[in-house]
Amino acid sequence: MTYIEILEKARKNMSNLCRSCPVCDGKACRNTVPGPGAKGSGTVAIRNYEAWKQIHLVLDTISENKPVETKTTLFGKEFRLPVFAGPVGAVDMHYGDAYVDLTYNEILVKACKEAGILAFTGDGMNPEIMKVATQNIKANEGIGIPTIKPWTQETVMEKLALAQESKALAVAMDIDAAGLPFLKGFVPPAGRKSISELKEIAQACGVPFILKGILSVKGALKAKEAGASAIVVSNHGGRVLDDTPTTAEVLEEIVQAVGEDLTILVDGGIRTGQDVFKALALGADGVLIARPFVNMIYGAEAEGVNTLVQKIQDELIDTMEMCGAATIDEITRDMIH
Ligand SMILES: Cc1cc2nc3c(=O)[nH]c(=O)nc-3n(C[C@H](O)[C@H](O)[C@H](O)COP(=O)(O)O)c2cc1C
């Protein structure tokens, strides 16, 4: 099946909260939460997507005509390209009950490993989600990153033990999840965390600790102080606060502040290999793509994941060839405008 055929098939398997659009640009779902949209006005997801389009590629084909290589490493492991599947939780609530988090993560983790990339798994109110996701990661030789919500320290430590048992490559926390409407008032509570609380978690981790949901230099410096090894520059796809900046807008200043010390990943509206190239040119070490992987799984499971990865890789190769970068490390700031 082609990418578009998979999207069409996914549409039939979903509730109509997601329209499985040819381009996932946040417009049709706008402020649909529950559903895959963004909070409040619903404009943050739309602006995330559009911000990448406002960055342009500088054509330069006066370079050696040698094959292009998209391989990269993350925490010492080699991957096919610097693109990873972002965490998505409560898929049944947001996309329809053809899948639940347990089945979604099982398919996603395995399919991403087979496609040569890695999946982040999401967390949820049901403790089974983290239990099963970490079992899936273990079954896939630790190629996966569980993302723990900022629960109480006690609950985080319990989930951390599961992550450690799975030999996961790293552990992430979506520190911005405090803003999720359905987590407000939940018991045990999930909310903001201080630098000292995060330090305790980073020290207990034993593997790189990633803070997801950093959107400013100030936040990035706090993540560094807390002992994080990496951050994901992210506004959670607009789902935690309305009217935030887009990730493309803040990425470069964050890279300038902490890029020497931390691995920097970015997400939000990244949909093509061209967008990936732009993020790397702004200094990111890799990107996360979240919503489109859901459409691929609802449409064709592992085949869908591989189709999306192949599509992004083909586009990235084309862009690298046309802008004069033969390897990921050769992608530089002057290649975008
Ligand atoms: C329905 C839905 C559920 C999500 N669940 C999680 C989650 O459990 N943990 C998390 O860190 N991010 C979660 N996210 C945020 C994504 O990982 C990602 O940051 C965001 O969607 C932006 O990337 P995208 O534009 O490629 O979708 C969720 C996003 C959506 C749309």
Side-chain angles (χ1 to χ4, degrees):
M1 276 190 286
T2 65
Y3 182 65
I4 293 294
E5 284 166 351
I6 297 171
L7 286 175
E8 279 162 11
K9 189 147 175 256
R11 195 172 307 128
K12 297 191 183 108
N13 285 340
M14 287 175 161
S15 62
N16 65 359
L17 297 173
C18 174
R19 318 290 149 75
S20 205
C21 303
V23 178
C24 179
D25 58 7
K27 285 188 184 149
C29 56
R30 214 176 162 94
N31 63 346
T32 316
V33 185
K39 196 172 170 180
S41 68
T43 51
V44 173
I46 299 170
R47 287 193 294 109
N48 270 347
Y49 171 82
E50 286 172 352
W52 297 109
K53 300 302 159 214
Q54 281 162 23
I55 301 171
H56 298 138
L57 299 164
V58 178
L59 191 70
D60 175 16
T61 51
I62 304 182
S63 64
E64 197 186 335
N65 195 11
K66 59 182 181 190
V68 158
E69 182 54 76
T70 63
K71 272 193 202 131
T72 193
T73 57
L74 180 71
F75 307 129
K77 280 257 176 226
E78 192 172 271
F79 293 97
R80 174 172 164 189
L81 68 166
V83 174
F84 307 101
V88 175
V91 291
D92 51 339
M93 171 163 68
H94 300 302
Y95 289 92
D97 57 14
Y99 296 90
V100 292
D101 289 0
L102 305 185
T103 48
Y104 177 80
N105 285 333
E106 183 180 2
I107 299 164
L108 183 74
V109 170
K110 185 165 186 277
C112 283
K113 179 170 178 272
E114 281 168 2
I117 63 161
L118 161 152
F120 284 64
T121 56
D123 194 2
M125 293 179 260
N126 173 0
E128 281 298 302
I129 294 169
M130 186 60 63
K131 220 182 262 175
V132 175
T134 49
Q135 282 166 4
N136 298 146
I137 291 170
K138 188 174 184 180
N140 286 279
E141 294 157 19
I143 303 300
I145 298 181
T147 311
I148 303 173
K149 295 233 176 287
W151 312 108
T152 58
Q153 292 296 90
E154 195 191 348
T155 307
V156 169
M157 293 301 172
E158 282 167 21
K159 297 203 181 211
L160 208 50
L162 296 173
Q164 284 165 336
E165 154 71 15
S166 77
K167 303 265 186 301
L169 185 60
V171 172
M173 172 172 283
D174 48 335
I175 192 63
D176 56 356
L180 287 172
F182 54 89
L183 275 189
K184 298 236 185 245
F186 182 72
V187 180
R192 291 169 292 158
K193 287 217 172 280
S194 66
I195 293 176
S196 64
E197 286 173 311
L198 291 173
K199 244 183 208 167
E200 195 190 348
I201 297 167
Q203 277 163 7
C205 240
V207 288
F209 180 50
I210 307 171
L211 277 171
K212 175 173 180 285
I214 302 297
L215 206 54
S216 67
V217 169
K218 195 164 92 178
L221 291 171
K222 287 185 194 174
K224 183 177 142 186
E225 193 184 335
S229 305
I231 54 172
V232 184
V233 176
S234 174
N235 52 27
H236 218 107
R239 295 171 69 78
V240 293
L241 182 66
D242 203 355
D243 294 331
T244 66
T246 66
T247 50
E249 281 170 306
V250 297
L251 174 61
E252 192 170 25
E253 62 200 40
I254 293 176
V255 168
Q256 279 164 6
V258 297
E260 297 276 298
D261 309 307
L262 303 183
T263 296
I264 299 185
L265 305 172
V266 60
D267 75 12
I270 296 171
R271 299 292 176 256
T272 63
Q274 294 90 291
D275 295 341
V276 175
F277 185 95
K278 294 169 193 176
L280 300 177
L282 288 173
D285 298 296
V287 312
L288 268 52
I289 296 177
R291 294 174 176 98
F293 277 101
V294 186
N295 298 79
M296 290 296 101
I297 288 194
Y298 274 70
E301 301 193 345
E303 181 194 341
V305 168
N306 199 43
T307 301
L308 177 57
V309 172
Q310 188 65 56
K311 172 187 169 295
I312 302 278
Q313 186 177 33
D314 290 345
E315 292 161 348
L316 180 59
I317 288 174
D318 189 39
T319 311
M320 290 169 71
E321 283 174 355
M322 294 306 290
C323 296
T327 63
I328 294 299
D329 287 346
E330 284 183 27
I331 299 174
T332 49
R333 179 65 177 80
D334 58 348
M335 294 175 181
I336 55 168
H337 195 258

